[in-house]
Amino acid sequence: MSSRTTSFFLDPAPPRRIEVVGFLNVWIPVVMLAATATALTTSYAAAVGSALVPGLSWIEWIATAVFLVDLFVSAKVDRDVRGPVRPLLRTADFLAMLPLYALTGFVPLLVFRLLKLFRIAFWMSIWRQQHFALWNALRLIYFIYWLSLAVHALTSGWLLLRHAPASVDEAQTMYLHSLYWCISTLTTIGYGDITPQTNGEIIYAMVIMIFGVGMYGYVIANISTIITNLQPSRVRYLETMERLGAFMRYQRLPGELQKRIRDYYTYVWEQRMGYDESSILRDLPPGLHGEVSLFLKRGIIRKVPFFREADDDLVRDIAMQMHPVVYTPGDVIVREGDPGSRMYFISRGRLEVRSVDGSIHADLRDGEFFGEMALIYHQPRNATVRAASYCDLYFLDQEGFNQVVRIHPAFEEHIRTMTEERRKS
Ligand code: CMP
C-alpha cells in the first residue's frame, strides 16, 4: 500500500500532449467550417431577420449534426485537458450543439451557437503548439480569422440599425454597403458617403470610430510584429549590420578591415542564418542536447574518418563538446609558440600549417583536425595555422577534450597515433 502511494507521488503520469493526428486532421476542419458558418449566419440573421438568410435551417441542422458528433469525438481528446478548461469546453460544446433556434424559431437563441468558437480557439492553440515551426505564420492566419469575424459582427450591428430589408437581394446589398461603411470607418478613413442618421446610428458610429482607432493601431502593430517575426534571423542580421556599420564609421576602421568584418557576418548568416547553435543547445536538457548536437554536427561526423568508425556513445559525447566557429581567409587560428587550449575539426575550408623554421609545411582540408599537440603534450603550439579560405570549424576545448578522453581512452589513442605520424612526416 505504502509503496503504491509513494510511487504515485514520485512518478505521477505525465500529462499527455494533445495532438491533431489521423481522423482529427479531417474532422477539425469540418467542425471549423460548421462553427464559422453558424457564427456568420447568427449575426447576419439577427440583423436582417431569419427569413432573409437563405439556407439558414439547413445550416442549423447540419451544424447540430456536426456538433453532436463532435461531442463524442472531442470527449476522447478532452480526457487529456487539464484544469477548468475541460468542463468549460464540454459545457460550451453541449450548449452550442442544441438546435434551439430550429426548434423554437426564436432568433436570439442562435447566440448559443457562438460558444462553439471556444472549441475552435482550443484547436487553434493545439495546432500552433504542434506546428512549432509555423508559429508565426499561424498567428497571422488566426489573427485574420478572428478579425474577419469581428468585422462581420460589427457590420451586422450597423445593418441592424438601418431600415429592415424587404428581400434577400436587398439584404445582401445592404450588407455589402454596411461592410464597406464598417471597414472605412474602422480604418479611420470614413469617406462620409454613408452617414449615420438616427441617434442610435450616431452612437454606434462613434463607438466604431473609437474601437477603430484602437483596433487600427493594434492591427498595424500586430501585423508588423508578425511579419518581422516571420524572418527573425534576417532582421537580426540587418540590425547587426546597421550597428556594425555605425560602429565602424565612428571608429574610422580601415576600409579593408571593414570589408572583412562585413564579409564575416554575411558568411555566418548565409551558413547558419545567424543562429548561435551553442546558445540554443545550452538551453536543452542533456538527452535532447545530445541528439540535436549529433544532428547538427552530422556533416563533420561524416567527414572525419575516425568518427565514422567510432561507437555511437563516443561520437555523441564529442558532438556535445564541439562548438562551431568560423574564420575568414587570412585569419591566424593558432600561432606558433602560443599556449594552446583548443583543438579543431575542419567541417569546410582550407588551412595552411607552417613553422617559422620551415620544418613543418602542410595543408589541411575538410575532415582533418589540428591543434591537438598542445592539448596532448601540454606544450606550446609547434606551428602556425592560417585559414586559406572561409573555414567552418568545430573546436574542442581542453576541458571538453579531457572529459571525452576520461570516458573514451580510444579517442586519445587515435589522436596520438595520428600525431605521431604527423611528427614523422
Ligand atoms: P599544435 O602544436 O597544438 O598547434 C599547431 C598544429 O599544427 C599542431 O598542433 C598540429 O595539429 C598541426 N601540425 C603540426 N605539424 C603538422 C604536420 N606535419 N602536418 C599537419 N599538421 C601539423
Side-chain angles (χ1 to χ4, degrees), residues 188-246:
T188 71
I189 302 162
Y191 288 111
D193 50 351
I194 299 175
T195 49
Q197 307 295 333
T198 64
N199 288 354
E201 288 177 4
I202 292 173
I203 293 170
Y204 192 77
M206 285 192 299
V207 172
I208 291 230
M209 282 171 196
I210 295 169
F211 182 71
V213 174
M215 201 184 79
Y216 192 59
Y218 183 78
V219 169
I220 299 292
N222 253 283
I223 301 260
S224 70
T225 324
I226 290 169
I227 290 176
T228 309
N229 285 347
L230 284 176
Q231 277 194 310
S233 56
R234 170 129 196 101
V235 172
R236 236 190 3 255
Y237 166 72
L238 293 175
E239 276 173 8
T240 309
M241 292 311 257
E242 261 174 41
R243 229 185 27 247
L244 266 175

Side-chain angles (χ1 to χ4, degrees), residues 191-379:
Y191 288 111
D193 50 351
I194 299 175
T195 49
Q197 307 295 333
T198 64
N199 288 354
E201 288 177 4
I202 292 173
I203 293 170
Y204 192 77
M206 285 192 299
V207 172
I208 291 230
M209 282 171 196
I210 295 169
F211 182 71
V213 174
M215 201 184 79
Y216 192 59
Y218 183 78
V219 169
I220 299 292
N222 253 283
I223 301 260
S224 70
T225 324
I226 290 169
I227 290 176
T228 309
N229 285 347
L230 284 176
Q231 277 194 310
S233 56
R234 170 129 196 101
V235 172
R236 236 190 3 255
Y237 166 72
L238 293 175
E239 276 173 8
T240 309
M241 292 311 257
E242 261 174 41
R243 229 185 27 247
L244 266 175
F247 170 79
M248 293 189 299
R249 274 194 306 277
Y250 178 70
Q251 294 291 350
R252 295 211 182 96
L253 290 193
E256 178 52 26
L257 206 52
Q258 289 197 20
K259 187 179 170 311
R260 281 181 63 193
I261 295 175
R262 219 171 283 129
D263 287 353
Y264 165 77
Y265 274 101
T266 309
Y267 180 79
V268 169
W269 191 76
E270 276 167 5
Q271 295 303 310
R272 304 172 204 270
M273 300 295 285
Y275 289 111
D276 178 7
E277 222 171 277
S278 298
S279 74
I280 292 175
L281 285 172
R282 217 179 16 242
D283 292 338
L284 293 176
L288 267 181
H289 184 164
E291 275 183 45
V292 179
S293 290
L294 270 181
F295 183 78
L296 292 178
K297 291 154 194 172
R298 64 195 183 289
I300 180 81
I301 290 167
R302 244 181 268 130
K303 279 179 189 163
V304 179
F306 168 70
F307 289 156
R308 281 202 300 262
E309 283 140 34
D311 74 82
D312 293 350
D313 283 348
L314 168 56
V315 173
R316 174 187 299 253
D317 288 345
I318 293 182
M320 281 173 73
Q321 299 292 345
M322 287 197 306
H323 304 282
V325 60
V326 170
Y327 287 96
T328 56
D331 285 349
V332 172
I333 301 154
V334 306
R335 195 180 295 278
E336 187 175 347
D338 282 356
S341 59
R342 286 176 175 182
M343 70 172 290
Y344 298 83
F345 295 90
I346 308 168
S347 176
R348 187 182 357 207
R350 269 182 311 109
L351 299 107
E352 291 165 354
V353 186
R354 306 275 184 272
S355 63
V356 178
D357 61 8
S359 59
I360 301 175
H361 190 103
D363 290 332
L364 301 176
R365 286 184 169 276
D366 300 13
E368 294 187 274
F369 61 81
F370 63 91
E372 77 293 354
M373 293 186 184
L375 257 64
I376 294 181
Y377 303 115
H378 304 285
Q379 65 181 30

Side-chain angles (χ1 to χ4, degrees), residues 23 47 135 139 260 298 334 419:
F23 170 66
W135 185 270
R139 190 177 155 196
R260 281 181 63 193
R298 64 195 183 289
V334 306
T419 306

